[in-house]
Amino acid sequence: MPFDGLVLAAIKKELIDGALNLTPLLGSRIDRIYQPAPLELNIVLRQPGKRNRLLISAHANEARIHLTEQTKENPASPPLFCMVLRKHLEGGRIVGLTQEGLERILVFQIEVRNEINQLTQKNLVCELMGKHSNVILVDAATQIIIDSIKRYSFNLSRYREVLPGRTYLHPPKQDKLALDTLNEAIFQENIWQQPLAAKLEQIIQRRFEGLSTLMSREIIYRAGLPADLTLNECGEYEINVLGQKLKLLCQAVRESNFPPALMVNEAGEPVEFDAFPLTHLRILTARKATMNVIVDQFFTFQEERSCFNQKKQRLISLVQKEINYQAKKISTWEENLTEADKAEKFKLYGKLLLANAHCLEKGLTEVSLANFHDLSSRVLISLDPQLSPVENANAFFKKYQKAKKTRLAIQPLLENARQERFYLLSVETALQQASTLSDLAEISQELMTTGYLAKTTTGQKSKDKPKPKQKTSAPLKFISSDNLTILVGKNNRQNDYLTMRLAQENDVWLHTKEIPGSHVVIKTNGQPVPPTTLHEAAILAAFFSRAQQSHNVPVDYTGRKNVKKPPGARPGFVTYTNHRTIIVNPDKSLPAKLQPYSPIV
């Protein structure tokens, strides 16, 4: 995702000259300024009959500037820099945008009236340079820094201080050649001065202004040269053809002729973008749009995916913690149950002592007696010398009764813990297979309902109307080879909805045998299910389960009328009877073949 000098130049051109559905920003009034994140600004610009939202980010990995359609939640109290910008810029008018060459620095020149109603100019300097990115408010007349989104002194930078009251210094110049003044002689001279072992893409990126590594590869590809070609492997022909392609790029830059492209994969997800089509990425498809729209779409997708991954990982960590807790309880109770099962020997000891009490004396520490159940063997019993034989027998009977009660108490607890762990494993499986924020929202709601996740409070008063219950999203829909509909639940809430409400009694219900996974329903319409459809549905049940990476997965199937949900059971838990089992291997290519792979309407 190279937000290089070319991309910034294309952004600037659209902001100044306008583009499709975009009016020029020069003359726009600054209506409102927000700072939704520590290193991000949203500036609302107003024109007659038109409002635009400008996003400026100084994030190290996402430094950029562009118009956006996205709105974000703002903090209850605006940060200090936001308040400074509001004081100095709100109500001001943008009168100019400047970019020196193809540097990643864009300066907004803003006319605004000061406290005594005098017309002054402030410069909002946007430095978009990776980890050195910054947004600095400067007084245009004195070049004194008013404030910045990042402050640092000479302790962090030996070149300059960025602090209120200091004079603004331009970032240090890079020793690169400007594309708008480049000619063949300068190109040839600078190319052959580079180390012979250096790769061409590195030379182009380091020596010519505004070019990212990605665009350097594109130039080499358009020249028909190998991507990993070094200068030592080049002759006059290679350098000449490379110079011709770079010359065409320079001409487009001088004419501000930018045909931006968003490169997407087969799923339509943005992967790369630049101010020129990236034809060397042949496995990707180029989408045409304005540079502002492309950058907005790309980073919106990146932010949503990052938010999705963070939320997903947070929920998975929570569920895995609970799974481990249940596993520890199961292990402890199984050990206690094993010890309780050994208590039958206490009953035997007591009986043997009572049967032989007449020939035993008090004070013995142990005794060996013949076993009732095996006369050829003897049982060695340890005794308390302070007790009589009968008292020792009664002590063993008490131990036996205690162990018996322990077994009766542990067995239901152990069964509940096993069921709870199975339920949590099903939630973890649903989380691992979740693909959208709405999927995570449903699972979060389920975890709130079951008490594993704290419920969010909105602070509404009791007299307010209660928030409507969140609807369960539709399950996935597939069409079998026999043209029958197969429905698959994506989480436990969907499983309940699919099995208990959407499915009819004559439909066929499938689920992996004793393995957490999705409920699968074949809509039969009262007709017999062909073996091919049954096999495909079983493969889907195995694929959308915890056994997705396994082989020979058992899948149970039965009529929907044989499936029941016990009262008070966890989401997704059902019981079923009169079932049969089919063994299948999960096939990751099958869901894509059984179109449509989308939620039902």
Side-chain angles (χ1 to χ4, degrees), residues 544-560:
F544 290 99
S545 76
R546 198 171 183 83
Q548 187 180 92
Q549 305 298 326
S550 303
H551 297 281
N552 298 326
V553 179
V555 177
D556 290 340
Y557 66 94
T558 185
R560 159 60 187 87

Side-chain angles (χ1 to χ4, degrees), residues 444-458:
S444 297
Q445 186 65 33
E446 176 186 339
L447 291 173
M448 290 180 191
T449 304
T450 53
Y452 285 107
L453 193 63
K455 294 184 178 180
T456 56
T457 57
T458 59

Side-chain angles (χ1 to χ4, degrees), residues 281-549:
L281 301 177
R282 288 172 289 180
I283 62 173
L284 302 178
T285 304
R287 286 184 181 174
K288 304 295 183 180
T290 64
M291 194 77 256
N292 279 273
V293 169
I294 285 175
V295 175
D296 188 32
Q297 289 179 352
F298 180 86
F299 282 101
T300 297
F301 173 78
Q302 293 292 327
E303 288 179 355
E304 289 178 350
R305 184 170 64 177
S306 176
C307 177
F308 170 80
N309 290 336
Q310 291 176 8
K311 186 174 182 180
K312 180 176 180 178
Q313 188 55 49
R314 186 166 60 249
L315 290 175
I316 288 177
S317 298
L318 170 68
V319 172
Q320 287 178 342
K321 179 181 177 181
E322 296 295 337
I323 290 173
N324 293 335
Y325 174 66
Q326 295 296 333
K328 289 181 180 179
K329 289 202 300 185
I330 292 172
S331 177
T332 301
W333 285 335
E334 284 179 341
E335 290 177 2
N336 293 339
L337 194 60
T338 301
E339 291 298 322
D341 290 339
K342 296 178 181 178
E344 288 293 331
K345 65 181 181 181
F346 297 139
K347 183 179 180 181
L348 176 62
Y349 292 169
K351 288 182 177 181
L352 291 176
L353 288 174
L354 287 180
N356 296 277
H358 62 283
C359 59
L360 299 176
E361 297 179 355
K362 183 178 180 180
L364 296 175
T365 57
E366 62 179 23
V367 63
S368 178
L369 301 175
N371 191 345
F372 290 150
H373 307 293
D374 185 5
L375 297 177
S376 62
S377 65
R378 301 183 68 82
V379 178
L380 183 64
I381 305 173
S382 298
L383 301 176
D384 185 348
Q386 302 297 325
L387 302 178
S388 66
V390 174
E391 290 173 335
N392 271 291
N394 290 333
F396 282 122
F397 284 134
K398 287 182 179 180
K399 288 183 179 180
Y400 168 72
Q401 291 297 330
K402 182 179 179 181
K404 186 178 179 181
K405 291 179 180 179
T406 299
R407 185 191 302 111
L408 293 175
I410 286 178
Q411 283 176 338
L413 294 176
L414 179 59
E415 182 61 27
N416 288 339
R418 287 170 175 168
Q419 291 182 3
E420 197 66 14
R421 182 175 179 273
F422 188 89
Y423 163 71
L424 290 169
L425 288 173
S426 70
V427 175
E428 183 187 29
T429 301
L431 282 170
Q432 291 171 343
Q433 297 181 355
S435 58
T436 64
L437 285 171
S438 61
D439 292 342
L440 297 183
E442 283 192 359
I443 298 173
S444 297
Q445 186 65 33
E446 176 186 339
L447 291 173
M448 290 180 191
T449 304
T450 53
Y452 285 107
L453 193 63
K455 294 184 178 180
T456 56
T457 57
T458 59
Q460 66 177 13
K461 298 180 180 179
S462 57
K463 65 179 181 180
D464 295 339
K465 292 183 179 180
K467 189 176 181 179
K469 188 176 180 180
Q470 184 179 4
K471 293 183 178 180
T472 302
S473 62
L476 297 174
K477 178 182 178 181
F478 301 91
I479 304 299
S480 74
S481 301
D482 302 302
N483 206 32
L484 290 180
T485 299
I486 303 174
L487 304 179
V488 180
K490 293 185 290 184
N491 52 60
N492 287 320
R493 294 183 68 191
Q494 278 194 15
N495 288 338
D496 281 346
Y497 171 72
L498 171 61
T499 301
M500 309 313 299
R501 297 183 59 184
L502 198 59
Q504 303 296 320
E505 286 196 354
N506 56 1
D507 292 337
V508 176
W509 182 89
L510 302 93
H511 192 279
T512 45
K513 186 179 184 66
E514 299 178 355
I515 300 172
S518 298
H519 293 197
V520 177
V521 170
I522 304 174
K523 302 294 290 182
T524 65
N525 299 320
Q527 302 298 320
V529 177
T532 303
T533 295
L534 183 63
H535 187 259
E536 290 172 344
I539 292 177
L540 290 176
F543 179 78
F544 290 99
S545 76
R546 198 171 183 83
Q548 187 180 92
Q549 305 298 326

Side-chain angles (χ1 to χ4, degrees), residues 207-222:
R207 291 300 301 141
F208 300 101
E209 187 181 53
L211 299 182
S212 63
T213 302
L214 194 64
M215 183 51 65
S216 301
R217 293 172 187 163
E218 176 65 20
I219 296 171
I220 294 172
Y221 176 79
R222 293 187 181 189

